[in-house]
Amino acid sequence: MSGAVTSWRITVDGDRCMGSGVCAGVAPGHFRVDAGTARPLAELIEPDDAACDAAESCPTEAITVRDAATGDLVAPETN
């Protein structure tokens, strides 16, 4: 990294989330399942590969991780 302060914004689309809990299993420091829907523990986080892994692992692609400053998509990767 270039040394610039960066943060990521985690969102979960409640309409797409099926509450599988994969995200909480992959990144328990970032997600919990509450009433059948995944929720981020914090909206803004320091960059963390576990959050990207959770977004990539979500079976319904309900999780997005974006650069908080630019809005650029970090995860999941699009083809």
Side-chain angles (χ1 to χ4, degrees):
M1 281 186 119
S2 65
V5 176
T6 302
S7 60
W8 289 349
R9 182 178 311 278
I10 301 174
T11 58
V12 177
D13 182 337
D15 292 333
R16 295 182 78 164
C17 178
M18 62 183 238
S20 71
V22 171
C23 57
V26 170
H30 295 297
F31 297 93
R32 73 174 191 272
V33 177
D34 183 26
T37 303
R39 306 231 186 270
L41 297 178
E43 182 182 355
L44 294 175
I45 65 166
E46 291 184 20
D48 185 347
D49 288 340
C52 292
D53 292 345
E56 297 290 344
S57 300
C58 179
T60 60
E61 297 182 347
I63 299 169
T64 56
V65 180
R66 295 186 176 275
D67 183 296
T70 66
D72 291 341
L73 185 66
V74 176
E77 291 184 6
T78 58
N79 294 329

